[in-house]
Amino acid sequence: MDIHDKSRVQWACRRGMLELDVSIMPFFKYEYDSLSDADKKVFIALLKSDDPDLFNWMMNHGEPADPELKRMVKLIQQRNRERGPVAM
């Protein structure tokens, strides 16, 4: 997936699991454009993960083995905490 094809990236953010949508969609909406190209690639790689894995990582019930994916999960959690709740 091309990092500059925002409509495809946004579509990949839609997970169908409310808990994931609440954390991933606002991050995409408010933070994606400010990420470096390298971080956009890591974010897209994270989106290729299975929903149960993403859910566990976002809820701190485990972490990815890949250090870059782990860093991205932490970044998503941190930015979402700093921004606070937002309407989807």
Side-chain angles (χ1 to χ4, degrees):
M1 182 178 331
D2 181 2
I3 63 172
H4 302 292
D5 188 349
K6 284 185 64 178
S7 61
R8 282 189 179 252
V9 177
Q10 183 176 16
W11 182 257
C13 289
R14 295 188 177 125
R15 307 309 289 203
M17 184 184 287
L18 180 61
E19 295 86 352
L20 291 177
D21 289 344
V22 167
S23 58
I24 294 173
M25 289 302 293
F27 179 82
F28 172 78
K29 181 178 179 180
Y30 295 102
E31 309 292 340
Y32 186 78
D33 289 335
S34 68
L35 296 175
S36 68
D37 286 355
D39 277 349
K40 287 177 182 176
K41 289 176 184 175
V42 174
F43 181 69
I44 289 170
L46 181 69
L47 294 177
K48 293 178 182 175
S49 302
D50 293 330
D51 285 356
D53 291 331
L54 275 175
F55 176 80
N56 286 331
W57 300 336
M58 293 306 220
M59 299 300 131
N60 294 317
H61 297 221
E63 57 189 36
D66 182 294
E68 286 297 299
L69 295 183
K70 180 180 176 180
R71 184 181 61 77
M72 183 55 61
V73 167
K74 298 296 180 195
L75 180 64
I76 292 169
Q77 292 170 329
Q78 174 192 353
R79 298 276 176 90
N80 287 345
R81 253 190 326 273
E82 290 170 356
R83 188 176 44 264
V86 293
M88 290 185 15

Coordinates of all heavy atoms in Angstrom, one line a residue:
M1 N 0.9 -1.2 0.0 CA 0.0 0.0 0.0 C 0.9 1.2 0.0 O 1.8 1.3 0.8 CB -0.9 -0.1 1.3 CG -1.9 1.1 1.4 SD -3.0 1.0 2.8 CE -3.1 -0.7 3.2
D2 N 0.6 2.2 -0.8 CA 1.3 3.4 -1.0 C 1.0 4.3 0.2 O -0.1 4.6 0.5 CB 1.0 4.1 -2.3 CG 1.7 5.4 -2.6 OD1 2.6 5.7 -1.8 OD2 1.5 6.0 -3.6
I3 N 2.1 4.8 0.8 CA 1.9 5.7 2.0 C 1.2 7.0 1.6 O 0.6 7.7 2.5 CB 3.2 6.0 2.7 CG1 4.2 6.8 1.8 CG2 3.9 4.8 3.2 CD1 5.4 7.3 2.5
H4 N 1.2 7.4 0.4 CA 0.5 8.6 -0.1 C -0.9 8.4 -0.5 O -1.6 9.4 -0.8 CB 1.4 9.3 -1.2 CG 2.8 9.6 -0.7 ND1 3.1 10.5 0.2 CD2 4.0 9.0 -1.1 CE1 4.4 10.5 0.4 NE2 5.0 9.6 -0.3
D5 N -1.3 7.2 -0.6 CA -2.7 6.9 -1.0 C -3.6 6.9 0.3 O -3.9 5.8 0.8 CB -2.8 5.6 -1.7 CG -4.2 5.3 -2.3 OD1 -5.1 6.1 -2.0 OD2 -4.3 4.4 -3.1
K6 N -3.9 8.1 0.8 CA -4.6 8.2 2.0 C -5.9 7.5 2.1 O -6.3 7.0 3.1 CB -4.7 9.7 2.4 CG -3.4 10.3 2.9 CD -3.6 11.7 3.4 CE -4.5 11.7 4.6 NZ -4.6 13.0 5.2
S7 N -6.6 7.5 1.0 CA -8.0 6.8 1.0 C -7.8 5.3 1.3 O -8.6 4.8 2.0 CB -8.7 7.1 -0.3 OG -8.0 6.6 -1.4
R8 N -6.8 4.7 0.7 CA -6.6 3.3 1.0 C -6.1 3.0 2.4 O -6.5 2.1 3.0 CB -5.6 2.7 0.0 CG -6.1 2.4 -1.3 CD -5.1 1.6 -2.2 NE -5.7 1.4 -3.5 CZ -6.1 0.2 -3.8 NH1 -6.0 -0.9 -3.0 NH2 -6.7 0.0 -5.0
V9 N -5.3 3.9 2.9 CA -4.8 3.8 4.3 C -6.0 4.0 5.2 O -6.1 3.2 6.2 CB -3.7 4.8 4.6 CG1 -3.2 4.7 6.0 CG2 -2.5 4.6 3.7
Q10 N -6.8 5.0 4.9 CA -8.0 5.2 5.8 C -8.9 4.0 5.8 O -9.4 3.6 6.8 CB -8.7 6.4 5.3 CG -9.9 6.7 6.2 CD -10.6 8.0 5.8 OE1 -10.4 8.5 4.7 NE2 -11.4 8.5 6.7
W11 N -9.1 3.4 4.6 CA -9.9 2.2 4.5 C -9.3 1.0 5.3 O -10.0 0.3 6.0 CB -10.1 1.8 3.0 CG -11.0 0.6 2.9 CD1 -10.6 -0.7 2.6 CD2 -12.4 0.6 3.0 NE1 -11.7 -1.5 2.6 CE2 -12.8 -0.8 2.8 CE3 -13.3 1.5 3.2 CZ2 -14.1 -1.1 2.8 CZ3 -14.7 1.2 3.2 CH2 -15.1 -0.2 3.0
A12 N -8.0 0.9 5.3 CA -7.4 -0.2 6.1 C -7.5 0.1 7.6 O -7.4 -0.8 8.4 CB -5.9 -0.3 5.7
C13 N -7.7 1.3 8.0 CA -7.8 1.7 9.4 C -9.2 1.2 10.0 O -9.3 1.0 11.2 CB -7.7 3.2 9.6 SG -6.1 3.9 9.4
R14 N -10.2 1.0 9.1 CA -11.5 0.6 9.5 C -11.4 -0.9 9.8 O -11.2 -1.7 8.9 CB -12.5 0.9 8.5 CG -12.7 2.3 8.2 CD -13.9 2.6 7.3 NE -14.0 4.0 7.2 CZ -14.0 4.7 6.0 NH1 -13.9 4.0 4.9 NH2 -14.2 6.0 6.0
R15 N -11.6 -1.2 11.1 CA -11.4 -2.6 11.5 C -12.7 -3.4 11.8 O -12.6 -4.6 11.8 CB -10.5 -2.6 12.8 CG -9.2 -1.9 12.7 CD -8.4 -2.3 11.4 NE -7.9 -3.6 11.5 CZ -6.8 -4.0 10.9 NH1 -6.2 -3.2 10.0 NH2 -6.4 -5.2 11.0
G16 N -13.7 -2.7 12.0 CA -15.0 -3.4 12.4 C -15.1 -3.8 13.8 O -16.0 -4.5 14.2
M17 N -14.1 -3.5 14.6 CA -14.1 -3.7 16.0 C -14.0 -2.4 16.7 O -13.1 -1.6 16.5 CB -12.9 -4.6 16.4 CG -12.9 -5.0 17.9 SD -11.4 -5.9 18.4 CE -11.8 -7.5 17.6
L18 N -15.1 -2.0 17.4 CA -15.2 -0.6 18.0 C -13.9 -0.2 18.7 O -13.4 0.9 18.6 CB -16.4 -0.5 18.9 CG -16.6 0.8 19.5 CD1 -16.8 1.9 18.5 CD2 -17.8 0.8 20.5
E19 N -13.4 -1.1 19.5 CA -12.2 -0.7 20.3 C -11.0 -0.4 19.5 O -10.2 0.5 19.8 CB -11.8 -1.9 21.3 CG -12.8 -2.2 22.3 CD -13.9 -3.2 21.9 OE1 -14.0 -3.5 20.7 OE2 -14.7 -3.6 22.7
L20 N -10.9 -1.0 18.3 CA -9.8 -0.7 17.4 C -10.1 0.6 16.6 O -9.2 1.4 16.5 CB -9.5 -1.8 16.5 CG -8.9 -3.1 17.1 CD1 -8.8 -4.2 16.1 CD2 -7.6 -2.8 17.8
D21 N -11.3 0.7 16.2 CA -11.7 1.9 15.5 C -11.5 3.2 16.3 O -11.1 4.2 15.8 CB -13.2 1.8 15.0 CG -13.3 0.8 13.8 OD1 -12.3 0.4 13.2 OD2 -14.5 0.4 13.6
V22 N -11.8 3.1 17.6 CA -11.7 4.2 18.5 C -10.3 4.7 18.7 O -10.0 5.8 19.0 CB -12.4 3.9 19.9 CG1 -12.0 4.9 20.9 CG2 -13.9 3.8 19.7
S23 N -9.3 3.7 18.6 CA -7.9 4.1 18.8 C -7.2 4.4 17.5 O -6.4 5.3 17.4 CB -7.2 3.0 19.6 OG -7.2 1.8 18.9
I24 N -7.5 3.6 16.4 CA -6.8 3.8 15.2 C -7.3 4.9 14.3 O -6.5 5.7 13.7 CB -6.8 2.4 14.4 CG1 -6.0 1.4 15.2 CG2 -6.2 2.6 13.0 CD1 -6.0 0.0 14.6
M25 N -8.6 5.0 14.2 CA -9.1 6.1 13.3 C -8.8 7.5 13.7 O -8.3 8.3 12.9 CB -10.7 5.9 13.2 CG -11.1 4.7 12.3 SD -10.4 4.7 10.6 CE -11.3 6.1 9.9
P26 N -8.9 7.8 15.0 CA -8.5 9.2 15.4 C -7.0 9.4 15.2 O -6.6 10.5 14.8 CB -8.9 9.3 16.9 CG -9.9 8.3 17.0 CD -9.6 7.2 16.1
F27 N -6.2 8.4 15.4 CA -4.7 8.6 15.2 C -4.5 8.9 13.7 O -3.7 9.8 13.4 CB -4.0 7.3 15.6 CG -2.5 7.4 15.4 CD1 -1.7 8.1 16.3 CD2 -1.9 6.9 14.2 CE1 -0.3 8.2 16.0 CE2 -0.6 7.0 14.0 CZ 0.2 7.6 14.9
F28 N -5.1 8.1 12.8 CA -5.0 8.4 11.4 C -5.4 9.8 11.1 O -4.7 10.5 10.4 CB -5.8 7.4 10.6 CG -5.8 7.7 9.1 CD1 -4.7 7.4 8.3 CD2 -6.9 8.3 8.6 CE1 -4.7 7.8 7.0 CE2 -7.0 8.6 7.2 CZ -5.8 8.4 6.4
K29 N -6.6 10.2 11.5 CA -7.2 11.5 11.2 C -6.3 12.6 11.7 O -6.1 13.6 10.9 CB -8.6 11.6 11.8 CG -9.3 12.9 11.5 CD -10.7 12.9 12.1 CE -11.4 14.2 11.9 NZ -12.7 14.2 12.5
Y30 N -5.8 12.5 12.9 CA -5.1 13.7 13.5 C -3.6 13.6 13.4 O -2.9 14.6 13.5 CB -5.5 13.9 14.9 CG -7.0 14.2 15.1 CD1 -7.9 13.3 15.5 CD2 -7.4 15.5 14.9 CE1 -9.2 13.6 15.6 CE2 -8.7 15.8 15.0 CZ -9.7 14.9 15.4 OH -11.0 15.2 15.5
E31 N -3.0 12.4 13.2 CA -1.6 12.3 13.3 C -0.9 11.8 12.0 O 0.3 12.1 11.8 CB -1.2 11.3 14.4 CG -1.8 11.6 15.7 CD -1.3 12.9 16.4 OE1 -0.3 13.4 16.0 OE2 -2.1 13.4 17.3
Y32 N -1.6 11.1 11.1 CA -0.9 10.5 10.0 C -0.1 11.5 9.1 O 1.0 11.2 8.8 CB -2.0 9.8 9.1 CG -1.4 9.0 8.0 CD1 -0.8 7.7 8.2 CD2 -1.3 9.5 6.7 CE1 -0.2 7.0 7.2 CE2 -0.7 8.7 5.6 CZ -0.2 7.5 5.9 OH 0.4 6.8 4.9
D33 N -0.7 12.6 8.8 CA 0.0 13.6 8.0 C 1.3 14.1 8.6 O 2.2 14.5 7.8 CB -0.9 14.8 7.6 CG -2.0 14.4 6.7 OD1 -1.9 13.4 5.9 OD2 -3.1 15.1 6.7
S34 N 1.4 14.1 9.9 CA 2.6 14.6 10.5 C 3.7 13.5 10.7 O 4.8 13.8 11.1 CB 2.3 15.2 11.9 OG 1.8 14.2 12.8
L35 N 3.4 12.3 10.4 CA 4.4 11.2 10.5 C 5.4 11.3 9.4 O 5.1 11.7 8.3 CB 3.7 9.8 10.4 CG 2.7 9.4 11.5 CD1 2.1 8.1 11.2 CD2 3.4 9.4 12.8
S36 N 6.6 10.9 9.7 CA 7.6 10.7 8.6 C 7.2 9.6 7.7 O 6.4 8.8 8.0 CB 9.0 10.4 9.3 OG 8.9 9.1 9.8
D37 N 7.8 9.6 6.5 CA 7.5 8.5 5.6 C 7.8 7.2 6.2 O 7.1 6.2 5.9 CB 8.3 8.7 4.2 CG 7.7 9.9 3.4 OD1 6.6 10.4 3.8 OD2 8.3 10.2 2.4
A38 N 8.9 7.1 6.9 CA 9.3 5.8 7.5 C 8.2 5.4 8.5 O 7.9 4.2 8.6 CB 10.6 6.0 8.2
D39 N 7.7 6.3 9.3 CA 6.7 6.0 10.3 C 5.4 5.6 9.6 O 4.6 4.8 10.1 CB 6.5 7.1 11.3 CG 7.5 7.0 12.4 OD1 8.2 6.0 12.6 OD2 7.6 8.0 13.2
K40 N 5.1 6.3 8.5 CA 3.9 5.9 7.7 C 4.0 4.5 7.3 O 3.0 3.7 7.3 CB 3.7 6.9 6.5 CG 3.2 8.2 6.9 CD 3.1 9.2 5.7 CE 2.7 10.6 6.2 NZ 2.7 11.5 5.1
K41 N 5.1 4.0 6.8 CA 5.3 2.7 6.4 C 5.1 1.7 7.6 O 4.5 0.6 7.4 CB 6.7 2.5 5.8 CG 6.8 3.1 4.5 CD 8.3 3.0 3.9 CE 8.4 3.8 2.6 NZ 9.7 3.8 2.1
V42 N 5.6 2.1 8.8 CA 5.4 1.2 10.0 C 4.0 1.2 10.3 O 3.5 0.1 10.7 CB 6.3 1.8 11.1 CG1 6.0 1.0 12.4 CG2 7.8 1.7 10.8
F43 N 3.3 2.3 10.3 CA 1.8 2.3 10.6 C 1.1 1.4 9.6 O 0.2 0.6 10.0 CB 1.3 3.8 10.4 CG -0.1 3.9 10.7 CD1 -0.6 3.7 12.0 CD2 -1.0 4.2 9.7 CE1 -2.0 3.9 12.3 CE2 -2.4 4.4 10.0 CZ -2.9 4.2 11.3
I44 N 1.4 1.5 8.3 CA 0.8 0.6 7.3 C 1.1 -0.9 7.6 O 0.2 -1.7 7.5 CB 1.1 1.0 5.9 CG1 0.5 2.3 5.6 CG2 0.8 -0.1 4.9 CD1 0.9 3.0 4.3
A45 N 2.3 -1.2 8.0 CA 2.7 -2.5 8.4 C 1.9 -3.0 9.6 O 1.4 -4.1 9.6 CB 4.2 -2.6 8.7
L46 N 1.6 -2.1 10.5 CA 0.8 -2.4 11.7 C -0.6 -2.8 11.3 O -1.2 -3.7 11.8 CB 0.8 -1.3 12.7 CG 0.0 -1.5 14.0 CD1 0.7 -2.5 14.9 CD2 -0.1 -0.2 14.8
L47 N -1.1 -2.0 10.3 CA -2.5 -2.3 9.9 C -2.7 -3.6 9.2 O -3.8 -4.1 9.1 CB -2.9 -1.2 8.9 CG -3.1 0.2 9.5 CD1 -3.4 1.2 8.4 CD2 -4.1 0.3 10.6
K48 N -1.6 -4.2 8.8 CA -1.6 -5.5 8.2 C -1.8 -6.7 9.2 O -2.0 -7.8 8.8 CB -0.4 -5.8 7.3 CG -0.4 -4.9 6.1 CD 0.9 -5.1 5.2 CE 0.9 -4.1 4.1 NZ 2.1 -4.2 3.3
S49 N -1.7 -6.3 10.5 CA -1.8 -7.3 11.6 C -3.2 -7.7 11.7 O -4.2 -7.0 11.3 CB -1.3 -6.7 12.9 OG 0.0 -6.2 12.8
D50 N -3.4 -8.9 12.3 CA -4.8 -9.4 12.5 C -5.4 -8.6 13.6 O -4.8 -8.2 14.6 CB -4.7 -10.9 12.9 CG -4.2 -11.8 11.8 OD1 -4.5 -11.4 10.6 OD2 -3.6 -12.8 12.1
D51 N -6.8 -8.5 13.5 CA -7.5 -7.7 14.5 C -7.3 -8.2 16.0 O -7.1 -7.4 16.9 CB -9.0 -7.7 14.2 CG -9.3 -6.8 13.1 OD1 -8.4 -6.1 12.6 OD2 -10.5 -6.8 12.7
P52 N -7.3 -9.5 16.2 CA -7.1 -10.0 17.6 C -5.7 -9.5 18.2 O -5.6 -9.1 19.3 CB -7.2 -11.5 17.5 CG -8.0 -11.8 16.3 CD -7.7 -10.7 15.4
D53 N -4.7 -9.6 17.3 CA -3.4 -9.1 17.7 C -3.4 -7.6 18.0 O -2.9 -7.1 19.1 CB -2.3 -9.4 16.7 CG -2.0 -10.9 16.6 OD1 -2.2 -11.6 17.6 OD2 -1.6 -11.3 15.5
L54 N -4.0 -6.8 17.1 CA -4.1 -5.4 17.3 C -4.8 -5.0 18.5 O -4.4 -4.2 19.3 CB -4.8 -4.7 16.1 CG -3.9 -4.4 14.9 CD1 -4.8 -3.9 13.7 CD2 -2.9 -3.4 15.2
F55 N -5.9 -5.7 18.8 CA -6.7 -5.5 20.0 C -5.9 -5.7 21.2 O -5.8 -4.9 22.1 CB -7.9 -6.4 20.0 CG -8.7 -6.3 21.2 CD1 -9.6 -5.2 21.4 CD2 -8.6 -7.2 22.3 CE1 -10.4 -5.1 22.6 CE2 -9.3 -7.1 23.4 CZ -10.2 -6.0 23.6
N56 N -5.2 -6.9 21.3 CA -4.3 -7.2 22.4 C -3.3 -6.1 22.6 O -3.0 -5.7 23.8 CB -3.7 -8.6 22.3 CG -4.8 -9.7 22.6 OD1 -5.7 -9.5 23.3 ND2 -4.6 -10.8 21.9
W57 N -2.6 -5.7 21.6 CA -1.5 -4.7 21.7 C -2.1 -3.4 22.2 O -1.5 -2.7 23.0 CB -0.8 -4.6 20.4 CG -0.2 -5.8 19.9 CD1 0.2 -6.9 20.6 CD2 0.1 -6.2 18.5 NE1 0.7 -7.9 19.8 CE2 0.7 -7.5 18.5 CE3 0.0 -5.5 17.3 CZ2 1.1 -8.1 17.4 CZ3 0.4 -6.1 16.2 CH2 1.0 -7.4 16.2
M58 N -3.2 -3.0 21.6 CA -3.8 -1.6 21.9 C -4.3 -1.6 23.4 O -4.3 -0.6 24.0 CB -4.9 -1.2 21.0 CG -4.3 -1.0 19.6 SD -3.0 0.2 19.6 CE -3.4 1.1 18.2
M59 N -4.7 -2.8 23.9 CA -5.3 -2.9 25.2 C -4.2 -3.3 26.2 O -4.5 -3.6 27.4 CB -6.4 -3.9 25.3 CG -7.6 -3.5 24.4 SD -8.3 -2.0 24.8 CE -8.4 -1.2 23.2
N60 N -2.9 -3.3 25.8 CA -1.8 -3.7 26.6 C -1.9 -5.1 27.2 O -1.5 -5.3 28.3 CB -1.6 -2.6 27.8 CG -1.2 -1.3 27.3 OD1 -0.3 -1.2 26.4 ND2 -1.8 -0.3 27.8
H61 N -2.4 -6.0 26.4 CA -2.5 -7.4 26.7 C -1.4 -8.2 26.0 O -1.6 -9.4 25.7 CB -3.8 -8.0 26.4 CG -4.9 -7.3 27.2 ND1 -6.0 -8.0 27.7 CD2 -5.2 -6.1 27.5 CE1 -6.8 -7.2 28.3 NE2 -6.4 -6.0 28.2
G62 N -0.3 -7.5 25.7 CA 0.8 -8.1 24.9 C 1.4 -7.0 24.1 O 1.0 -5.9 24.1
E63 N 2.4 -7.4 23.3 CA 3.1 -6.4 22.5 C 3.6 -7.1 21.3 O 3.9 -8.3 21.3 CB 4.1 -5.7 23.2 CG 5.2 -6.6 23.8 CD 6.2 -5.8 24.7 OE1 5.7 -4.8 25.4 OE2 7.3 -6.1 24.7
P64 N 3.8 -6.4 20.2 CA 4.3 -7.0 19.0 C 5.8 -7.4 19.2 O 6.5 -6.8 20.0 CB 4.3 -5.9 17.9 CG 3.5 -4.8 18.5 CD 3.4 -5.0 20.0
A65 N 6.2 -8.5 18.5 CA 7.6 -8.9 18.6 C 8.5 -8.0 17.9 O 9.6 -7.7 18.3 CB 7.7 -10.3 18.1
D66 N 8.0 -7.4 16.8 CA 8.8 -6.4 16.0 C 8.9 -5.1 16.8 O 7.9 -4.5 17.1 CB 8.0 -6.2 14.7 CG 8.8 -5.3 13.8 OD1 9.0 -4.1 14.1 OD2 9.2 -5.7 12.7
P67 N 10.1 -4.7 17.0 CA 10.3 -3.4 17.8 C 9.7 -2.2 17.1 O 9.3 -1.3 17.8 CB 11.8 -3.3 17.9 CG 12.5 -4.3 17.0 CD 11.4 -5.3 16.6
E68 N 9.7 -2.1 15.8 CA 9.1 -1.0 15.1 C 7.6 -1.0 15.3 O 7.0 0.1 15.5 CB 9.5 -1.0 13.6 CG 10.9 -0.5 13.4 CD 11.2 0.9 13.8 OE1 10.5 1.8 13.3 OE2 12.0 1.1 14.7
L69 N 6.9 -2.1 15.2 CA 5.5 -2.2 15.4 C 5.2 -1.8 16.9 O 4.2 -1.1 17.2 CB 4.9 -3.6 15.1 CG 5.0 -4.0 13.6 CD1 4.4 -5.3 13.4 CD2 4.4 -2.9 12.7
K70 N 6.0 -2.3 17.8 CA 5.9 -2.0 19.2 C 5.9 -0.5 19.4 O 5.1 0.1 20.2 CB 6.9 -2.7 20.0 CG 6.8 -2.5 21.5 CD 7.9 -3.2 22.3 CE 7.9 -2.9 23.7 NZ 9.0 -3.6 24.5
R71 N 6.9 0.1 18.8 CA 7.1 1.6 18.9 C 5.8 2.3 18.4 O 5.4 3.3 19.0 CB 8.3 2.0 18.2 CG 8.7 3.5 18.3 CD 9.9 3.9 17.6 NE 9.8 3.6 16.1 CZ 9.1 4.4 15.3 NH1 8.5 5.5 15.7 NH2 9.1 4.1 14.0
M72 N 5.3 1.8 17.3 CA 4.1 2.5 16.7 C 2.9 2.3 17.6 O 2.1 3.3 17.8 CB 3.8 1.9 15.3 CG 2.7 2.6 14.6 SD 2.8 4.4 14.4 CE 4.3 4.5 13.4
V73 N 2.7 1.1 18.2 CA 1.6 0.9 19.1 C 1.7 2.0 20.3 O 0.7 2.6 20.6 CB 1.6 -0.5 19.6 CG1 0.6 -0.6 20.8 CG2 1.2 -1.5 18.5
K74 N 2.9 2.1 20.8 CA 3.1 3.0 21.9 C 2.9 4.5 21.5 O 2.3 5.3 22.2 CB 4.6 2.9 22.5 CG 4.9 1.6 23.1 CD 4.0 1.3 24.3 CE 4.3 -0.1 24.9 NZ 3.3 -0.6 25.8
L75 N 3.3 4.8 20.2 CA 3.1 6.1 19.7 C 1.6 6.4 19.6 O 1.1 7.5 19.9 CB 3.8 6.3 18.4 CG 3.6 7.7 17.7 CD1 4.2 8.8 18.6 CD2 4.2 7.7 16.3
I76 N 0.8 5.5 19.0 CA -0.6 5.6 18.9 C -1.3 5.8 20.3 O -2.1 6.7 20.5 CB -1.2 4.4 18.2 CG1 -0.8 4.3 16.7 CG2 -2.8 4.4 18.3 CD1 -1.1 3.0 16.0
Q77 N -0.9 5.0 21.2 CA -1.5 5.1 22.6 C -1.1 6.5 23.2 O -2.0 7.1 23.8 CB -0.9 4.0 23.5 CG -1.5 2.6 23.1 CD -0.8 1.5 23.8 OE1 0.4 1.6 24.2 NE2 -1.5 0.4 24.0
Q78 N 0.1 6.9 23.0 CA 0.6 8.2 23.6 C -0.2 9.4 23.0 O -0.7 10.2 23.7 CB 2.1 8.3 23.4 CG 2.6 9.7 23.8 CD 4.0 9.9 23.4 OE1 4.7 9.0 22.8 NE2 4.5 11.1 23.6
R79 N -0.2 9.4 21.7 CA -0.9 10.5 21.0 C -2.3 10.6 21.3 O -2.9 11.6 21.5 CB -0.6 10.4 19.5 CG 0.8 10.5 19.0 CD 1.3 12.0 18.9 NE 2.7 12.1 18.6 CZ 3.2 12.1 17.4 NH1 2.4 12.1 16.3 NH2 4.5 12.2 17.2
N80 N -3.0 9.4 21.4 CA -4.4 9.4 21.7 C -4.6 9.9 23.1 O -5.6 10.6 23.4 CB -5.0 8.0 21.5 CG -5.1 7.6 20.1 OD1 -5.1 8.4 19.2 ND2 -5.3 6.3 19.8
R81 N -3.8 9.5 24.0 CA -3.9 10.0 25.4 C -3.7 11.5 25.5 O -4.5 12.2 26.2 CB -2.8 9.3 26.3 CG -3.3 8.3 27.3 CD -2.2 7.8 28.3 NE -0.9 7.8 27.8 CZ -0.3 6.8 27.2 NH1 -1.0 5.7 27.0 NH2 1.0 6.8 26.9
E82 N -2.7 12.0 24.8 CA -2.4 13.4 24.8 C -3.6 14.2 24.2 O -3.9 15.3 24.7 CB -1.1 13.7 24.0 CG 0.1 13.3 24.7 CD 1.4 13.3 23.8 OE1 1.2 13.7 22.6 OE2 2.4 13.0 24.3
R83 N -4.2 13.7 23.1 CA -5.3 14.4 22.5 C -6.6 14.3 23.2 O -7.4 15.2 23.2 CB -5.4 13.8 21.1 CG -6.4 14.6 20.2 CD -6.4 14.0 18.7 NE -6.5 12.6 18.7 CZ -5.5 11.8 18.5 NH1 -4.3 12.2 18.3 NH2 -5.7 10.5 18.4
G84 N -6.8 13.2 23.9 CA -8.0 13.0 24.7 C -9.1 12.5 23.8 O -8.9 12.3 22.6
P85 N -10.3 12.2 24.3 CA -11.4 11.6 23.5 C -11.8 12.6 22.4 O -11.8 13.8 22.6 CB -12.5 11.5 24.5 CG -12.0 11.9 25.8 CD -10.6 12.5 25.7
V86 N -12.1 12.0 21.3 CA -12.6 12.8 20.1 C -13.8 12.0 19.5 O -13.9 10.8 19.6 CB -11.5 12.9 19.0 CG1 -10.4 13.8 19.5 CG2 -11.0 11.6 18.5
A87 N -14.6 12.8 18.9 CA -15.8 12.2 18.2 C -15.3 11.6 16.9 O -14.6 12.2 16.2 CB -16.9 13.2 18.0
M88 N -15.8 10.4 16.6 CA -15.4 9.8 15.4 C -16.3 10.2 14.3 O -16.8 10.4 13.5 CB -15.4 8.3 15.5 CG -14.2 7.8 16.3 SD -14.0 6.0 16.5 CE -14.9 5.3 15.2

